[in-house]
């Protein structure tokens, strides 16, 4: 492997959005070859095997231009994102009728 290849993703944690509104999590393990990384998705009870993922796959977006992959330097940053993502939203009610005096 060429040592001059810029490797900026090894060790980073990620979330990967799915079309059904769910998401997967994992970590980028290492650069396999130019533009391809070995990643490990988090499993429930067992460690899942490594998968090869290209930079092109990591850069894919939805039709609305939302990125499917999000990267985080630490697991704590990723957990904060997931906590915010999973938090129930509280709708704000605005009345359109002016109160009478």
């Amino acid at each position: 492997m060429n040592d001059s290849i810029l490797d900026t993703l090894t060790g980073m944690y990620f979330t990967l959005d799915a079309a059904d509104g769910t998401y997967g999590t994992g970590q980028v393990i290492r650069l396999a070859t130019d533009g391809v990384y070995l990643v490990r998705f988090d499993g429930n009870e067992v460690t899942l095997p490594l998968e090869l993922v290209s930079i092109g796959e990591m850069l894919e977006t939805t039709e609305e231009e939302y990125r499917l992959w999000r990267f985080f330097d630490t697991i704590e940053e990723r957990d904060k994102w997931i906590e915010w993502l999973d938090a129930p939203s509280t709708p704000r009610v605005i009345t359109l009728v002016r109160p009478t005096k």
Side-chain angles (χ1 to χ4, degrees):
M1 183 176 0
N2 186 351
D3 290 336
S4 66
I5 296 172
L6 183 60
D7 176 11
T8 57
L9 293 176
T10 292
M12 296 195 78
Y13 296 89
F14 65 84
T15 61
L16 172 59
D17 295 345
D20 64 0
T22 61
Y23 57 86
T25 60
Q27 184 178 21
V28 179
I29 303 302
R30 73 179 198 74
L31 186 65
T33 188
D34 190 17
V36 179
Y37 284 87
L38 286 165
V39 301
R40 175 169 284 135
F41 286 90
D42 297 329
N44 291 336
E45 285 114 25
V46 290
T47 304
L48 299 176
L50 297 176
E51 292 187 30
L52 290 171
V53 180
S54 72
I55 292 291
E57 290 174 272
M58 293 177 179
L59 294 175
E60 286 181 355
T61 60
T62 65
E63 291 178 7
E64 295 83 23
E65 298 300 315
Y66 292 109
R67 290 199 175 174
L68 301 175
W69 290 73
R70 288 185 178 79
F71 296 94
F72 306 89
D73 290 326
T74 65
I75 200 164
E76 290 81 14
E77 289 176 2
R78 185 186 72 185
D79 290 347
K80 276 183 162 177
W81 169 260
I82 290 171
E83 184 179 326
W84 175 82
L85 193 63
D86 290 344
S89 61
T90 54
R92 191 173 140 196
V93 178
I94 300 172
T95 180
L96 299 177
V97 179
R98 289 187 175 175
T100 58
K101 295 182 181 182

